[in-house]
């Protein structure tokens, strides 16, 4: 079915206070750990985006009772184990969903077949299948370890696995499999990645040891531990909050506050970078919620300068490079983003998609095999006016729509439907702030 595009029109300043949708990473994990646990898990603030709803459905097919009890409130009744699903498990667009569920399922004596949409079927799964294979899981996949794939789990033995790529999804898959393996599993990550799985495993009653030392972080988990249901409060997603905050930074006269944003330092690399660019970003009411730091973040329109983003910062802002590229188009001088080869295997090749999308809006960029340099406007605003191809990637669509309100000419994106995978209600939220996106 043909999909109608979405257009962001030039307009006045953006103003107001909003709440970001629930954190996607924590939402997936709450459902998966709830299904693995014994007893009841109550989740408040779940992201009701399509990716997470797929994970909820998948957990039902693995034997958990999962129900919506109110707005963004969900209940999971876990059985302390996963059972064989009766049908193919379709994770839609979600790399996090499928990779974490494959890891969790590998620990049980079951066979399951996984698939996803066009984008997910093109993404690399060997990165999780390789360590799970070492642990004793068997699998059969399309060439290059692509979906659809079938997994036969159970009888796992612990491994010590050094992550070849900085990936929280791979780390999490191995830790979840390790939970049901014989012996102690150790994941070594040379560069720290988001640590929600480690934190949440503890909240569900597991013992997880984390040591930072030479060669990186070592995360150890003993197999055979039981998880117990708990209460999970999901904070606002900094990766989603980034869009209205960035819109305020680049649209003259704006001041926008996003409340309850997760401030885990392994997720806030974008905020650090924006401050280096000269952004007026203020955090107030910092507090602890459900084992995570959260706060209200205010962004005011700022005069920005281009920067070089240290490659080592990439894992803490991996999903934020597309929106940073848009902000960089409004900065004076070039912004160089390097060491971001992982962006080529996201929902789309995000380096190529941003270079093409920004070019369509009159912004000069230079694409590198593992990097992107945005020329910066020398103080002038980018023209806009482009029809941007998103390749069904929500963050490519969201980023270009944010470029719209501050540019002289409207910006349109194709396939905006995918925005609902991570940011349902985006256009309504932006309208509340005064942006004309429709
Ligand atoms: C995620 C990890 C990151 C990120 C994704 C969510 C997670 O992926 O891009 O949106 O929840 O663990 P990688 O592990 O592939 O870096």
């Amino acid at each position: 079915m043909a999909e109608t595009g979405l257009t962001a029109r030039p307009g006045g300043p953006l103003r107001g206070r909003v709440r970001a949708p629930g954190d996607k990473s924590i939402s997936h994990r709450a459902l998966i750990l709830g299904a693995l646990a014994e007893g009841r898990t109550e989740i408040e603030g779940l992201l009701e985006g399509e990716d997470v709803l797929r994970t909820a459905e998948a957990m039902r097919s693995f034997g958990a009772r999962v129900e919506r009890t109110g707005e963004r409130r969900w209940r999971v009744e876990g059985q302390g184990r996963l059972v064989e699903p009766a049908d193919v498990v379709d994770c839609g667009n979600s790399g996090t969903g499928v990779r974490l569920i494959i890891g969790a399922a590998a620990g049980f004596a079951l066979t399951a077949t996984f698939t996803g949409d066009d984008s997910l079927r093109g993404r690399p799964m060997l990165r999780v299948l390789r360590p799970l294979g070492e642990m004793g899981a068997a699998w059969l996949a399309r060439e290059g370890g692509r979906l659809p794939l079938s997994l036969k789990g159970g009888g796992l033995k612990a491994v010590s696995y050094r992550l070849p790529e900085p990936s929280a999804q791979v780390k999490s898959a191995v830790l979840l499999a390790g939970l049901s393996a014989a012996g102690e599993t150790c994941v070594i990550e040379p560069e720290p990645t988001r640590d929600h799985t480690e934190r949440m495993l503890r909240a569900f009653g597991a013992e997880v040891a984390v040591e930072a030392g030479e060669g990186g972080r070592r995360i150890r988990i003993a197999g055979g531990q039981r998880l117990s249901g708990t209460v999970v409060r999901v904070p606002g997603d900094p990766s989603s909050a980034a869009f209205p905050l960035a819109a305020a930074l680049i649209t003259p006269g704006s001041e926008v506050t996003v409340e309850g944003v997760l401030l885990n330092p392994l997720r806030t690399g974008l905020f650090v970078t924006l401050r280096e660019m000269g952004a007026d970003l203020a955090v107030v009411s910092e507090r602890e919620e459900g084992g995570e730091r959260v706060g209200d973040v205010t962004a005011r329109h700022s005069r920005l300068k281009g920067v070089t983003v240290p490659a080592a910062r990439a894992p803490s802002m991996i999903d934020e490079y597309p929106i940073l590229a848009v902000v960089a188009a409004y900065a004076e001088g070039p912004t160089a983003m390097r060491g971001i080869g992982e962006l080529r295997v996201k929902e789309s090749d995000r380096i190529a998609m941003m270079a093409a999308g920004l070019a369509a809006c009159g912004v000069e960029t230079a694409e590198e095999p593992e990097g992107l340099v945005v020329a910066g406007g020398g103080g002038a605003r980018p023209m806009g006016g482009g029809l941007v191809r998103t390749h069904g990637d929500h963050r490519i669509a969201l980023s270009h729509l944010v470029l719209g309100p501050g540019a002289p000419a409207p910006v349109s994106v194709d396939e905006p439907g995918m925005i609902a995978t991570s940011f349902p209600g985006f256009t309504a939220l932006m309208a509340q702030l005064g942006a004309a996106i429709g």
Side-chain angles (χ1 to χ4, degrees), residues 104-119:
F108 299 93
L110 55 79
T111 300
T113 300
F114 297 88
T115 193
D117 68 7
D118 283 354
S119 152

Side-chain angles (χ1 to χ4, degrees), residues 128-147:
V128 288
L129 295 173
R130 220 180 274 126
L132 297 177
E134 275 181 39
M135 296 174 86
W139 50 269
L140 194 62
R142 266 193 328 130
E143 185 165 3
R146 317 260 155 186
L147 298 174

Side-chain angles (χ1 to χ4, degrees), residues 24-25 29 96 99 127 166-169 194 318-319 346:
K24 185 150 71 75
S25 294
R29 286 160 173 81
T96 307
R99 292 189 179 120
R127 50 179 61 195
S167 168
Q169 294 176 359
R194 64 191 69 193
I318 194 67
D319 293 333
K346 295 292 178 188

Side-chain angles (χ1 to χ4, degrees), residues 47-410:
L47 167 65
E48 293 178 326
E50 275 164 28
D51 277 10
V52 175
L53 298 180
R54 291 280 184 171
T55 290
E57 198 46 49
M59 290 302 99
R60 282 190 189 113
S61 69
F62 278 101
R65 261 186 65 186
V66 182
E67 52 178 337
R68 187 175 192 262
T69 55
E71 200 179 327
R72 314 209 301 179
R73 288 177 174 271
W74 288 66
R75 177 175 298 150
V76 183
E77 304 271 1
Q79 302 185 34
R81 67 194 174 97
L82 302 185
V83 301
E84 185 163 292
D87 205 346
V88 173
V89 179
D90 185 347
C91 291
N93 191 242
S94 181
T96 307
V98 78
R99 292 189 179 120
L100 268 58
I101 297 170
I102 287 175
F108 299 93
L110 55 79
T111 300
T113 300
F114 297 88
T115 193
D117 68 7
D118 283 354
S119 152
L120 194 58
R121 278 185 276 110
R123 294 180 66 187
M125 295 298 144
L126 269 184
R127 50 179 61 195
V128 288
L129 295 173
R130 220 180 274 126
L132 297 177
E134 275 181 39
M135 296 174 86
W139 50 269
L140 194 62
R142 266 193 328 130
E143 185 165 3
R146 317 260 155 186
L147 298 174
L149 67 84
S150 291
L151 174 84
K152 193 168 164 9
L156 300 189
K157 55 182 193 315
V159 279
S160 178
Y161 191 70
R162 191 180 172 83
L163 293 180
E165 59 286 293
S167 168
Q169 294 176 359
V170 177
K171 168 177 68 175
S172 302
V174 177
L175 291 175
L176 292 176
L179 196 56
S180 323
E184 188 182 76
T185 291
C186 178
V187 180
I188 304 144
E189 49 176 8
E191 297 169 69
T193 66
R194 64 191 69 193
D195 59 356
H196 308 306
T197 302
E198 298 91 302
R199 285 169 181 262
M200 293 177 72
L201 276 166
R202 287 195 186 121
F204 279 82
E207 266 182 47
V208 183
V210 181
E211 290 153 28
E214 228 170 272
R217 281 169 91 236
R218 302 173 78 84
I219 304 124
R220 289 181 290 116
I221 187 164
Q225 301 191 57
R226 297 191 161 277
L227 303 183
S228 325
T230 186
V231 175
V232 180
R233 287 182 74 184
V234 183
D237 195 328
S239 303
S240 298
F243 297 108
L245 293 172
L249 292 176
I250 61 180
T251 310
S254 300
E255 176 173 333
V256 165
T257 299
V258 184
E259 295 170 355
V261 180
L262 172 68
L263 295 175
N264 180 319
L266 295 169
R267 295 288 301 282
T268 49
L270 176 72
F271 297 155
V272 175
T273 305
L274 291 173
R275 284 206 175 105
E276 288 173 359
M277 296 173 82
D280 181 351
L281 271 184
V283 179
V284 296
S285 307
E286 253 195 88
R287 56 203 181 265
E288 188 94 12
E289 258 181 37
E292 291 279 9
R293 292 302 295 162
V294 301
D296 302 340
V297 185
T298 299
R300 293 183 195 87
H301 175 249
S302 305
R303 199 179 158 156
L304 302 167
K305 61 175 196 310
V307 292
T308 294
V309 187
R313 196 178 290 158
S316 68
M317 55 176 291
I318 194 67
D319 293 333
E320 283 68 76
Y321 283 95
I323 187 62
L324 175 64
V326 163
V327 173
Y330 281 82
E332 203 166 332
T335 293
M337 305 167 230
R338 299 213 165 88
I340 54 171
E342 276 291 303
L343 256 61
R344 294 209 184 266
V345 290
K346 295 292 178 188
E347 284 83 330
S348 70
D349 175 345
R350 287 183 172 160
I351 296 180
M353 297 307 293
M354 285 312 297
L358 287 174
C361 296
V363 180
E364 216 180 290
T365 63
E367 199 182 324
E368 299 173 358
E370 300 205 346
L372 181 69
V373 180
V374 177
R381 292 184 288 160
M383 275 310 296
L387 168 59
V388 174
R389 278 184 50 238
T390 64
H391 220 278
D393 186 328
H394 54 130
R395 295 201 202 277
I396 301 298
L398 288 157
S399 300
H400 287 95
L401 289 171
V402 162
L403 190 144

